[in-house]
Amino acid sequence: HPLISRVYAIFLLASRQAPHTTTFQTACQLLHDADVADRNQTMIKSAAEIYFRWAVLVDARNPLTLLNYALLHQCVYKNYDHAEKLYRAALALDQTNTLVVENYRLFSDERYPGGVYESCGPPFSVVQRSNVVEERLDWAEWRKMIDPLCPRKGFEVFWFNRFTKMTRFTEPNWESVWESRLKRSKWIDGKTTAQSEFYDERTKSSFFYNTYTQQYSSL
């Protein structure tokens, strides 16, 4: 039954039963089977409200309650950013809780490309411990970062948008970035010529756009 499979999988993950690798694989298989049988998550909705969400409402300062809710968003809803916030809230209450610490570590490790919870970029907690490697005017709000504590070799470097807080393991689509800048920027000079100058209030910088070549350049 999809509901039983999902709830039991969350129990297995939350309790961190040994052997851990086998338990994790079993939980993943249960969740996969439940997704196949109940793609719209119809059978988990009532349990999510009656048990998981209600438990948080009545006992919000219990780290294990937050852990269960985090696992619901992580494993069922695939809302990894919200799961991240719940994990961090649980850790803020008790940084020594082994179940919370180990589940958060596993979740973070599996968010890299190829992992079970693969994301387009690392969570904001990784950004906070990382350093800026390179910045360029042409990159606007994007920065290249490096994570000195990255657990996955080859994914130490990533991209970070300092305004939207978005992260990416792959290089941003620069054509899309420039188009967004052009839309939000104010024309300054050169409207009667091919080369026009614009001012981007967000980045507090100017750039040029050539209507003939359709190329952008920074000052």
Side-chain angles (χ1 to χ4, degrees):
H1 192 282
L3 173 58
I4 296 175
S5 294
R6 284 174 173 138
V7 173
Y8 184 52
I10 289 175
F11 166 75
L12 288 176
L13 292 172
S15 57
R16 295 286 294 160
Q17 296 182 21
H20 300 318
T21 301
T22 302
T23 298
F24 181 65
Q25 292 173 346
T26 300
C28 288
Q29 187 61 53
L30 287 167
L31 291 163
H32 171 74
D33 293 344
D35 285 342
V36 172
D38 181 30
R39 295 186 183 279
N40 296 324
Q41 303 173 350
T42 304
M43 299 182 185
I44 190 69
K45 290 180 180 178
S46 295
E49 286 294 318
I50 296 172
Y51 176 70
F52 292 96
R53 187 169 180 273
W54 179 251
V56 172
L57 292 175
V58 299
D59 197 10
R61 297 194 62 78
N62 186 330
L64 295 181
T65 299
L66 293 174
L67 169 60
N68 286 331
Y69 203 37
L71 286 168
L72 175 71
H73 284 272
Q74 167 187 328
C75 302
V76 179
Y77 296 152
K78 310 291 193 298
N79 188 340
Y80 303 140
D81 289 338
H82 193 58
E84 168 85 15
K85 292 177 182 178
L86 291 166
Y87 273 119
R88 294 182 67 77
L91 289 170
L93 294 172
D94 185 3
Q95 296 183 357
T96 64
N97 189 300
T98 304
L99 295 178
V100 176
V101 171
E102 287 301 308
N103 271 284
Y104 182 55
R105 180 193 60 76
L106 176 63
F107 172 61
S108 299
D109 289 350
E110 291 293 334
R111 291 193 70 180
Y112 290 89
V116 175
Y117 313 118
E118 180 176 344
S119 304
C120 63
F124 190 68
S125 57
V126 171
V127 177
Q128 293 177 311
R129 73 188 186 206
S130 299
N131 303 311
V132 178
V133 176
E134 188 177 0
E135 289 183 278
R136 297 181 188 177
L137 287 176
D138 283 350
W139 293 351
E141 62 263 43
W142 287 94
R143 294 171 171 174
K144 188 181 285 189
M145 310 285 289
I146 188 167
D147 175 13
L149 302 178
C150 180
R152 291 284 187 94
K153 187 177 181 180
F155 296 105
E156 298 87 353
V157 176
F158 64 94
W159 297 83
F160 171 63
N161 188 308
R162 57 195 172 100
F163 293 111
T164 66
K165 309 305 179 186
M166 181 185 295
T167 61
R168 297 176 58 92
F169 288 114
T170 58
E171 191 169 342
N173 183 328
W174 297 119
E175 183 178 351
S176 178
V177 171
W178 277 113
E179 288 177 354
S180 296
R181 290 191 73 188
L182 187 62
K183 288 179 181 178
R184 71 174 182 242
S185 299
K186 181 180 179 181
W187 171 80
I188 300 176
D189 189 29
K191 200 168 186 178
T192 58
T193 64
Q195 189 88 335
S196 295
E197 183 179 357
F198 292 84
Y199 181 73
D200 185 350
E201 179 64 30
R202 173 183 281 186
T203 61
K204 307 297 183 186
S205 62
S206 298
F207 65 92
F208 292 98
Y209 173 63
N210 190 304
T211 56
Y212 289 162
T213 64
Q214 295 185 333
Q215 292 183 330
Y216 300 88
S217 60
S218 298
L219 291 175

